[in-house]
Amino acid sequence: MRFCSLLSGGKDSTYALHAAVKEGGEVACVVSVVPRREDSWMFHRPLVELTRLQAESMGLADRHYMLEVSGNKEQEVDELVAGLRRLKESVGFDTLVIGGIASRYQLARFGRIASELGVRLYDPQWGADPEEYMRTLLREGIVYVITQITVYGLDPGLLGVPIDRAELVERIISLARKHGFHPAFEGGEAETFVVKAPLFRKPICLEAERVRVAEFDWRLRVRSAVLCDEPRIVVIAAPAR
Protein backbone atom coordinates (compact mmCIF):
# COMPACT_ATOMS: atom_id res chain seq x y z
CA MET A 1 0.00 0.00 0.00
CA ARG A 2 1.00 3.59 -0.61
CA PHE A 3 -0.54 5.45 2.27
CA CYS A 4 -1.27 8.82 3.81
CA SER A 5 -1.16 8.70 7.60
CA LEU A 6 -2.93 11.08 9.95
CA LEU A 7 -0.49 12.03 12.72
CA SER A 8 -1.67 13.96 15.78
CA GLY A 9 1.51 13.44 17.78
CA GLY A 10 -0.18 11.05 20.18
CA LYS A 11 0.43 7.36 20.86
CA ASP A 12 -2.40 5.99 18.71
CA SER A 13 -1.65 7.76 15.43
CA THR A 14 2.07 7.08 15.91
CA TYR A 15 1.41 3.38 16.45
CA ALA A 16 -0.81 3.24 13.34
CA LEU A 17 1.96 4.79 11.22
CA HIS A 18 4.45 2.36 12.76
CA ALA A 19 2.19 -0.61 11.96
CA ALA A 20 1.64 0.50 8.36
CA VAL A 21 5.39 0.78 7.74
CA LYS A 22 5.97 -2.53 9.51
CA GLU A 23 3.55 -4.16 7.06
CA GLY A 24 5.64 -2.88 4.17
CA GLY A 25 3.61 0.17 3.26
CA GLU A 26 5.11 3.18 1.48
CA VAL A 27 4.62 6.61 3.05
CA ALA A 28 3.16 9.05 0.53
CA CYS A 29 2.25 11.72 3.07
CA VAL A 30 1.83 12.37 6.76
CA VAL A 31 -0.93 14.82 7.67
CA SER A 32 -1.36 16.63 10.97
CA VAL A 33 -4.78 18.21 11.35
CA VAL A 34 -4.84 21.49 13.30
CA PRO A 35 -8.34 22.39 14.53
CA ARG A 36 -8.86 26.05 15.29
CA ARG A 37 -11.08 25.04 18.23
CA GLU A 38 -9.69 23.15 21.22
CA ASP A 39 -12.95 21.21 21.58
CA SER A 40 -12.88 19.61 18.12
CA TRP A 41 -15.14 16.55 17.86
CA MET A 42 -12.68 14.66 15.69
CA PHE A 43 -9.14 15.84 16.15
CA HIS A 44 -6.49 15.91 18.87
CA ARG A 45 -5.29 19.46 19.58
CA PRO A 46 -2.61 19.51 22.32
CA LEU A 47 0.95 19.89 20.96
CA VAL A 48 -0.07 19.06 17.39
CA GLU A 49 2.39 21.70 16.15
CA LEU A 50 5.23 19.55 17.52
CA THR A 51 4.44 16.84 14.97
CA ARG A 52 6.95 18.71 12.81
CA LEU A 53 9.69 17.44 15.13
CA GLN A 54 8.34 13.90 14.94
CA ALA A 55 8.25 14.03 11.14
CA GLU A 56 11.79 15.39 11.07
CA SER A 57 12.98 12.61 13.36
CA MET A 58 11.38 10.01 11.07
CA GLY A 59 12.96 11.50 7.97
CA LEU A 60 9.52 12.46 6.69
CA ALA A 61 9.70 16.25 6.91
CA ASP A 62 9.37 16.55 3.13
CA ARG A 63 6.14 14.50 3.23
CA HIS A 64 4.58 16.15 6.27
CA TYR A 65 1.65 18.52 5.84
CA MET A 66 -0.32 20.60 8.35
CA LEU A 67 -4.00 20.97 7.44
CA GLU A 68 -6.02 23.53 9.36
CA VAL A 69 -9.71 22.91 9.95
CA SER A 70 -12.39 24.88 11.78
CA GLY A 71 -12.99 22.34 14.53
CA ASN A 72 -16.75 22.70 14.03
CA LYS A 73 -18.74 19.47 14.11
CA GLU A 74 -19.10 17.87 10.64
CA GLN A 75 -17.71 20.98 8.91
CA GLU A 76 -14.21 19.88 9.95
CA VAL A 77 -14.79 16.52 8.24
CA ASP A 78 -15.66 18.20 4.93
CA GLU A 79 -12.60 20.45 5.28
CA LEU A 80 -10.35 17.44 5.80
CA VAL A 81 -11.81 15.69 2.75
CA ALA A 82 -11.02 18.75 0.63
CA GLY A 83 -7.46 18.96 1.92
CA LEU A 84 -6.78 15.24 1.48
CA ARG A 85 -8.26 15.31 -2.02
CA ARG A 86 -5.76 17.98 -3.04
CA LEU A 87 -2.94 15.92 -1.55
CA LYS A 88 -4.09 12.76 -3.28
CA GLU A 89 -4.00 14.56 -6.60
CA SER A 90 -0.45 15.80 -5.98
CA VAL A 91 1.28 12.85 -4.25
CA GLY A 92 -1.02 9.89 -4.84
CA PHE A 93 -2.04 7.33 -2.22
CA ASP A 94 -4.40 4.37 -2.03
CA THR A 95 -4.81 4.04 1.74
CA LEU A 96 -5.67 6.36 4.62
CA VAL A 97 -4.09 5.35 7.94
CA ILE A 98 -5.76 6.30 11.24
CA GLY A 99 -5.27 5.27 14.87
CA GLY A 100 -8.75 4.74 16.31
CA ILE A 101 -9.43 2.11 18.96
CA ALA A 102 -13.12 2.18 19.84
CA SER A 103 -14.77 5.46 18.75
CA ARG A 104 -17.53 4.54 16.32
CA TYR A 105 -18.19 8.26 15.79
CA GLN A 106 -14.68 8.72 14.40
CA LEU A 107 -14.59 5.41 12.53
CA ALA A 108 -17.82 6.21 10.69
CA ARG A 109 -16.54 9.62 9.61
CA PHE A 110 -13.11 8.40 8.59
CA GLY A 111 -14.84 5.62 6.67
CA ARG A 112 -16.83 8.25 4.79
CA ILE A 113 -13.69 10.29 4.14
CA ALA A 114 -11.91 7.23 2.69
CA SER A 115 -14.94 6.39 0.57
CA GLU A 116 -15.16 9.91 -0.84
CA LEU A 117 -11.45 9.80 -1.67
CA GLY A 118 -11.72 6.33 -3.21
CA VAL A 119 -9.07 4.85 -0.90
CA ARG A 120 -8.85 2.03 1.66
CA LEU A 121 -9.10 2.81 5.38
CA TYR A 122 -6.41 1.15 7.54
CA ASP A 123 -6.85 1.21 11.33
CA PRO A 124 -4.53 -1.45 12.79
CA GLN A 125 -5.62 -1.16 16.42
CA TRP A 126 -9.36 -0.91 15.89
CA GLY A 127 -11.24 -3.18 18.30
CA ALA A 128 -8.13 -4.14 20.27
CA ASP A 129 -8.46 -4.95 23.96
CA PRO A 130 -7.47 -1.58 25.46
CA GLU A 131 -5.40 -2.99 28.32
CA GLU A 132 -3.46 -5.31 26.03
CA TYR A 133 -3.08 -2.49 23.53
CA MET A 134 -1.36 -0.35 26.17
CA ARG A 135 1.06 -3.23 26.76
CA THR A 136 1.58 -3.59 23.00
CA LEU A 137 2.68 0.05 22.75
CA LEU A 138 5.36 -0.66 25.33
CA ARG A 139 6.52 -3.85 23.58
CA GLU A 140 6.69 -2.05 20.23
CA GLY A 141 8.85 0.75 21.67
CA ILE A 142 6.31 3.58 21.48
CA VAL A 143 7.29 5.91 24.35
CA TYR A 144 4.94 8.80 25.14
CA VAL A 145 4.15 11.34 27.80
CA ILE A 146 0.69 12.25 29.02
CA THR A 147 0.09 15.90 28.12
CA GLN A 148 -3.43 16.47 29.45
CA ILE A 149 -5.67 14.81 32.04
CA THR A 150 -9.40 15.53 32.19
CA VAL A 151 -10.73 12.71 34.35
CA TYR A 152 -10.95 11.90 38.04
CA GLY A 153 -8.61 9.13 39.14
CA LEU A 154 -5.71 9.54 36.73
CA ASP A 155 -2.77 10.81 38.80
CA PRO A 156 -1.59 14.29 37.66
CA GLY A 157 1.88 13.20 38.75
CA LEU A 158 1.96 11.13 35.56
CA LEU A 159 1.93 14.27 33.41
CA GLY A 160 5.20 14.49 31.50
CA VAL A 161 6.48 11.13 32.71
CA PRO A 162 7.77 8.91 29.85
CA ILE A 163 5.60 5.79 29.78
CA ASP A 164 8.46 3.42 29.08
CA ARG A 165 8.19 0.81 31.82
CA ALA A 166 5.73 -1.98 32.52
CA GLU A 167 5.00 -0.73 36.03
CA LEU A 168 3.79 2.62 34.66
CA VAL A 169 1.51 0.93 32.13
CA GLU A 170 0.10 -1.38 34.80
CA ARG A 171 -0.45 1.60 37.09
CA ILE A 172 -2.56 3.34 34.44
CA ILE A 173 -4.53 0.12 33.85
CA SER A 174 -5.10 -0.32 37.59
CA LEU A 175 -6.33 3.27 37.97
CA ALA A 176 -8.65 2.81 34.98
CA ARG A 177 -10.17 -0.30 36.53
CA LYS A 178 -10.61 1.42 39.87
CA HIS A 179 -12.11 4.67 38.60
CA GLY A 180 -13.89 3.48 35.46
CA PHE A 181 -12.13 5.44 32.71
CA HIS A 182 -10.91 3.98 29.41
CA PRO A 183 -7.39 2.57 29.98
CA ALA A 184 -6.21 3.77 26.55
CA PHE A 185 -7.92 7.18 26.97
CA GLU A 186 -10.22 6.64 23.99
CA GLY A 187 -12.92 8.73 25.67
CA GLY A 188 -10.68 11.79 25.82
CA GLU A 189 -9.69 11.20 29.46
CA ALA A 190 -6.11 12.11 28.58
CA GLU A 191 -3.95 13.21 25.66
CA THR A 192 -0.44 12.01 24.83
CA PHE A 193 2.65 12.97 22.85
CA VAL A 194 5.22 10.47 21.56
CA VAL A 195 8.86 11.24 22.35
CA LYS A 196 10.48 8.03 21.11
CA ALA A 197 9.49 5.33 18.62
CA PRO A 198 11.13 2.75 16.33
CA LEU A 199 10.77 5.08 13.33
CA PHE A 200 12.40 8.00 15.17
CA ARG A 201 16.06 8.54 14.34
CA LYS A 202 16.35 10.76 17.41
CA PRO A 203 14.09 11.10 20.45
CA ILE A 204 12.45 14.35 21.50
CA CYS A 205 13.53 16.18 24.67
CA LEU A 206 10.97 18.34 26.43
CA GLU A 207 11.04 20.98 29.11
CA ALA A 208 7.55 21.54 30.44
CA GLU A 209 5.43 22.64 33.35
CA ARG A 210 2.44 20.95 35.00
CA VAL A 211 -0.51 23.33 35.12
CA ARG A 212 -3.81 22.80 36.95
CA VAL A 213 -6.60 24.35 34.87
CA ALA A 214 -9.57 23.06 36.88
CA GLU A 215 -10.32 20.41 39.50
CA PHE A 216 -9.96 17.49 37.07
CA ASP A 217 -8.14 19.29 34.26
CA TRP A 218 -4.33 19.21 34.27
CA ARG A 219 -2.12 20.12 31.34
CA LEU A 220 1.53 19.95 30.37
CA ARG A 221 2.66 23.36 29.15
CA VAL A 222 5.73 22.80 26.98
CA ARG A 223 8.46 25.42 27.22
CA SER A 224 10.87 23.83 24.76
CA ALA A 225 11.03 20.77 22.51
CA VAL A 226 14.07 19.64 20.51
CA LEU A 227 15.49 16.53 18.89
CA CYS A 228 18.27 15.12 21.05
CA ASP A 229 20.61 12.16 21.37
CA GLU A 230 19.23 10.82 24.64
CA PRO A 231 15.58 11.23 25.70
CA ARG A 232 15.18 13.71 28.54
CA ILE A 233 12.00 15.16 30.01
CA VAL A 234 12.30 18.01 32.49
CA VAL A 235 9.01 18.71 34.25
CA ILE A 236 8.60 21.68 36.55
CA ALA A 237 5.70 21.14 38.93
CA ALA A 238 3.73 24.36 39.09
CA PRO A 239 2.13 25.27 42.44
CA ALA A 240 -1.43 23.92 42.71
CA ARG A 241 -4.16 26.56 42.63
Side-chain angles (χ1 to χ4, degrees), residues 4 29 31 67 77-93 96 112-119:
C4 188
C29 55
V31 171
L67 288 182
V77 178
D78 294 334
E79 292 164 345
L80 179 58
V81 170
L84 289 176
R85 183 174 286 117
R86 290 191 296 270
L87 267 179
K88 185 175 180 244
E89 290 171 356
S90 64
V91 303
F93 56 89
L96 180 65
R112 176 168 71 83
I113 290 170
S115 178
E116 290 191 24
L117 293 172
V119 301

Side-chain angles (χ1 to χ4, degrees), residues 186-223:
E186 182 72 348
E189 298 91 343
E191 303 289 356
T192 64
F193 181 77
V194 173
V195 295
K196 186 179 180 182
L199 292 177
F200 286 19
R201 297 171 181 175
K202 287 189 172 186
I204 296 172
C205 288
L206 299 176
E207 181 178 314
E209 175 185 26
R210 294 188 186 116
V211 178
R212 185 181 183 184
V213 178
E215 186 176 7
F216 304 125
D217 188 349
W218 289 78
R219 302 184 187 186
L220 196 68
R221 181 180 296 157
V222 173
R223 295 182 175 185

Side-chain angles (χ1 to χ4, degrees), residues 1-235:
M1 61 179 165
R2 179 173 167 83
F3 65 87
C4 188
S5 190
L6 298 185
L7 180 68
S8 69
K11 59 181 175 53
D12 303 329
S13 60
T14 303
Y15 175 78
L17 172 56
H18 165 77
V21 171
K22 195 173 180 180
E23 283 202 11
E26 178 188 357
V27 183
C29 55
V30 175
V31 171
S32 297
V33 182
V34 185
R36 289 193 290 274
R37 294 170 56 119
E38 287 197 4
D39 59 348
S40 164
W41 284 72
M42 283 280 289
F43 306 112
H44 168 117
R45 183 65 184 83
L47 305 189
V48 69
E49 293 85 358
L50 297 184
T51 55
R52 291 189 178 95
L53 277 178
Q54 294 174 327
E56 181 182 348
S57 181
M58 291 185 285
L60 298 173
D62 61 332
R63 283 168 276 179
H64 180 236
Y65 302 86
M66 307 289 282
L67 288 182
E68 186 176 273
V69 297
S70 63
N72 297 327
K73 189 176 181 181
E74 305 304 346
Q75 180 184 347
E76 62 186 354
V77 178
D78 294 334
E79 292 164 345
L80 179 58
V81 170
L84 289 176
R85 183 174 286 117
R86 290 191 296 270
L87 267 179
K88 185 175 180 244
E89 290 171 356
S90 64
V91 303
F93 56 89
D94 56 37
T95 303
L96 180 65
V97 175
I98 65 168
I101 304 170
S103 171
R104 295 194 176 278
Y105 177 90
Q106 291 189 349
L107 184 67
R109 281 150 184 80
F110 282 124
R112 176 168 71 83
I113 290 170
S115 178
E116 290 191 24
L117 293 172
V119 301
R120 171 193 175 208
L121 186 66
Y122 177 75
D123 189 347
Q125 60 261 57
W126 174 257
D129 175 87
E131 293 184 1
E132 187 56 31
Y133 170 64
M134 292 292 276
R135 298 181 182 112
T136 296
L137 291 172
L138 182 67
R139 288 194 297 268
E140 291 291 323
I142 308 291
V143 178
Y144 55 90
V145 295
I146 296 173
T147 60
Q148 184 172 336
I149 293 174
T150 56
V151 66
Y152 172 75
L154 187 56
D155 182 6
L158 289 169
L159 276 174
V161 176
I163 307 302
D164 58 358
R165 303 189 306 280
E167 56 265 34
L168 291 172
V169 172
E170 296 306 322
R171 183 180 176 193
I172 291 169
I173 291 171
S174 176
L175 290 171
R177 289 175 179 174
K178 180 179 179 180
H179 297 287
F181 60 83
H182 194 283
F185 317 139
E186 182 72 348
E189 298 91 343
E191 303 289 356
T192 64
F193 181 77
V194 173
V195 295
K196 186 179 180 182
L199 292 177
F200 286 19
R201 297 171 181 175
K202 287 189 172 186
I204 296 172
C205 288
L206 299 176
E207 181 178 314
E209 175 185 26
R210 294 188 186 116
V211 178
R212 185 181 183 184
V213 178
E215 186 176 7
F216 304 125
D217 188 349
W218 289 78
R219 302 184 187 186
L220 196 68
R221 181 180 296 157
V222 173
R223 295 182 175 185
S224 67
V226 295
L227 296 182
C228 50
D229 294 323
E230 294 294 334
R232 186 171 64 93
I233 313 295
V234 176
V235 177

